[in-house]
């Protein structure tokens, strides 16, 4: 009667014969839009995770990034990044203020390399209008649309013109959408369905708890993975440091939280404290090492091997 669906914690990947002599030989790089990145993983476009400095940090380390869209001087951000010889990757909404930001970019003669349409449910008429607008006004930008959670929605976003689609609804650590609205779909099922339905890249967004979840998302057909809490506790993360009884934490809050919105209206996110962990440099190295190891267990030397593995339900 009910469809049984799966999350990252419900499945494991079955090992194949390793064909490399060292995990170092495994290549984790990914072509995403006009650029190649060192890892198929990036930090959520949330105000508590990234700011302009975090974005620069990721870009300089060869990682993809997307700036959040809350009270950002978009023209200044794009100009700064491009003047530094880095790519510009911004987020937009679906309301009139976004049309104004886009017009300001055009007036300044600026084209961001990447634009992410960021709404809770992008399978909606407002998102369709904005996607079509961006595609007509910024044909040189790579447009990511999200979020959605079904094959049908993914197909529609592809038809509207999205160059990549972000999948994942209500699976995030600071999400309360599932509690407040009753809607959610587990990530393994979401990513498998969406990736199988479209030919554009799919980004698996939210719910990464263990590093191995990244490999599981890629095995389901994701081309990229987005994570918030994973990147939230570090010096380079945008959230504020808080000290309680001599122990340090960092704030991590949802984009639809009262804290981010400044009012209690349509709140679907919360604020939490995550353990403060110091510099992010070691995390980036470890994430890469772990994914290289995943690729070796998958029996290959590139990320493509992960799409060949068998997945089991435990
Ligand atoms: N990935 C996820 O599961 C989720 C992510 N979020 C994040 O929270 C932020 C806020 O998201 P979101 O609320 O979409 O953006 P906004 O608050 O910017 O809302 C965008 C516009 O769409 C309208 N709108 C939003 N939701 C609906 C709806 N269910 N039905 C009809 N109209 C709607 C809003 O009008 P009005 O407010 O008047 O309805 C508003 O005009 C985003 O950054 C998003 O990524 C939020 C929830 C889930
Ligand atoms: N339901 C909500 N989802 C949110 C909110 N703010 C962000 N998000 C989504 O969560 C992921 C990050 O998840 P994590 O498990 O890696 O921490 C993020 O990329 C958004 O898609 C929110 O307020 N409500």
């Amino acid at each position: 009667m009910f469809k049984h669906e799966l999350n990252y914690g419900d499945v494991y990947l079955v090992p194949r014969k390793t064909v490399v002599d060292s995990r170092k030989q495994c290549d984790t790089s990914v072509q995403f839009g006009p650029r190649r990145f060192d890892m198929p993983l990036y930090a959520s476009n949330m105000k508590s995770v990234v700011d302009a400095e975090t974005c620069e940090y990721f870009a300089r380390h060869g990682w993809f990034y997307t700036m959040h869209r809350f009270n950002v001087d978009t023209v200044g951000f794009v100009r700064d990044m491009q003047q530094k010889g880095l790519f510009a990757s911004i987020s937009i909404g679906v309301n009139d203020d976004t049309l104004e930001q886009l017009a300001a970019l055009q007036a300044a003669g600026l084209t961001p390399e990447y634009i992410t349409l960021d709404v809770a449910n992008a399978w909606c008429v407002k998102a369709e209008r904005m996607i079509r607008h961006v595609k007509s006004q910024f044909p040189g930008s790579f447009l990511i649309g999200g979020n959605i959670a079904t094959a049908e929605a993914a197909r529609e976003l592809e038809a509207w013109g999205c160059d990549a689609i972000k999948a994942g609804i209500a699976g995030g650590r600071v999400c309360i959408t599932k509690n407040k609205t009753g809607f959610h779909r587990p990530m393994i099922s979401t990513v498998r369905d969406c990736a199988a339905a479209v030919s554009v890249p799919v980004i698996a967004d939210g719910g990464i708890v263990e590093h191995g979840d990244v490999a599981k998302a890629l095995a389901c057909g994701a081309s990229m993975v987005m994570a918030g809490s994973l990147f939230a506790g570090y010096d380079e993360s945008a959230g504020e440091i808080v000290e309680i009884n001599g122990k340090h934490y960092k704030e991590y809050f949802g984009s639809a939280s009262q804290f981010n919105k400044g009012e209690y209206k349509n709140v679907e996110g919360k604020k939490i404290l995550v353990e403060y962990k110091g510099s992010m440099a070691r995390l980036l190295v470890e994430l890469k090492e772990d994914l290289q190891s995943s690729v070796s267990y998958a029996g290959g030397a590139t990320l493509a091997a992960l799409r060949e593995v068998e997945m089991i339900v435990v």
Side-chain angles (χ1 to χ4, degrees):
M1 185 170 61
F2 291 106
K3 222 161 125 185
H4 187 79
E5 299 230 323
L6 301 167
N7 219 331
Y8 290 126
D10 301 321
V11 303
Y12 284 100
L13 307 175
V14 179
R16 288 157 60 104
K17 183 178 177 184
T18 294
V19 296
V20 290
D21 289 339
S22 162
R23 284 167 283 218
K24 287 198 234 25
Q25 291 169 5
C26 295
D27 178 10
T28 60
S29 71
V30 62
Q31 184 72 32
F32 186 60
R35 293 189 170 236
R36 199 162 186 90
F37 298 98
D38 203 26
M39 281 283 284
L41 173 65
Y42 67 111
S44 293
N45 49 347
M46 298 163 71
K47 203 171 178 179
S48 55
V49 179
V50 294
D51 55 20
E53 284 176 13
T54 324
C55 293
E56 186 175 337
Y57 176 84
F58 282 118
R60 291 200 186 282
H61 281 76
W63 286 54
F64 183 56
Y65 78 85
T66 302
M67 181 58 172
H68 67 78
R69 66 174 169 88
F70 306 102
N71 305 110
V72 174
D73 166 12
T74 309
V75 168
F77 177 79
V78 172
R79 186 179 283 133
D80 277 2
M81 292 300 279
Q82 292 180 340
Q83 276 175 355
K84 289 170 180 159
L86 303 169
F87 65 95
S89 175
I90 60 163
S91 297
I92 58 168
V94 288
N95 287 338
D96 288 349
D97 58 326
T98 291
L99 293 175
E100 287 162 19
Q101 281 168 13
L102 293 173
L105 281 173
Q106 280 182 316
L110 296 167
T111 300
E113 281 81 353
Y114 297 85
I115 300 178
T116 296
L117 179 120
D118 165 44
V119 285
N121 179 15
W123 195 18
C124 69
V125 287
K126 276 176 112 169
E128 177 181 1
R129 282 198 293 270
M130 190 57 77
I131 288 164
R132 292 191 190 281
H133 177 76
V134 173
K135 284 310 289 181
S136 69
Q137 299 301 307
F138 291 85
S141 296
F142 185 83
L143 176 61
I144 302 161
N147 282 16
I148 52 91
T150 63
E152 197 183 349
R155 276 192 288 268
E156 279 210 37
L157 264 69
E158 183 178 38
W160 297 342
C162 287
D163 300 306
I165 291 166
K166 196 146 63 68
I169 290 198
R173 174 135 174 230
V174 284
C175 163
I176 55 170
T177 298
K178 53 187 167 306
N179 316 76
K180 293 194 69 175
T181 71
F183 282 82
H184 167 51
R185 201 173 176 206
M187 284 307 286
I188 289 283
S189 304
T190 298
V191 179
R192 273 169 82 104
D193 273 7
C194 295
V198 294
S199 55
V200 295
V202 166
I203 301 150
D205 177 12
I208 297 292
V209 178
E210 309 286 353
H211 292 188
D213 295 343
V214 175
K216 293 177 188 178
L218 300 175
C220 289
S223 299
M224 277 287 212
V225 178
M226 175 182 259
S229 53
L230 185 67
F231 293 104
Y234 295 89
D235 287 330
E236 294 80 359
S237 329
E240 295 293 321
I241 284 209
V242 174
E243 187 182 338
I244 299 174
N245 297 332
K247 199 162 182 282
H248 290 87
Y249 303 86
K250 273 222 157 192
E251 289 181 343
Y252 177 47
F253 52 85
S255 302
S257 63
Q258 179 179 8
F259 190 77
N260 198 49
K261 288 182 161 208
E263 60 175 338
Y264 195 84
K265 186 172 178 301
N266 295 121
V267 164
E268 291 186 20
K270 61 183 176 183
K271 181 165 94 165
I272 62 171
L273 295 177
V274 296
E275 188 193 340
Y276 166 66
K277 303 187 199 83
S279 164
M280 200 185 280
R282 178 63 217 160
L283 174 73
L284 299 195
V285 170
E286 188 177 339
L287 284 165
K288 181 168 173 166
E289 286 171 354
D290 289 345
L291 191 57
Q292 285 178 309
S293 204
S294 299
V295 169
S296 78
Y297 284 114
T302 66
L303 294 177
L306 285 166
R307 297 226 177 150
E308 304 299 321
V309 300
E310 192 187 342
M311 201 175 288
I312 50 158
V313 178
V314 182

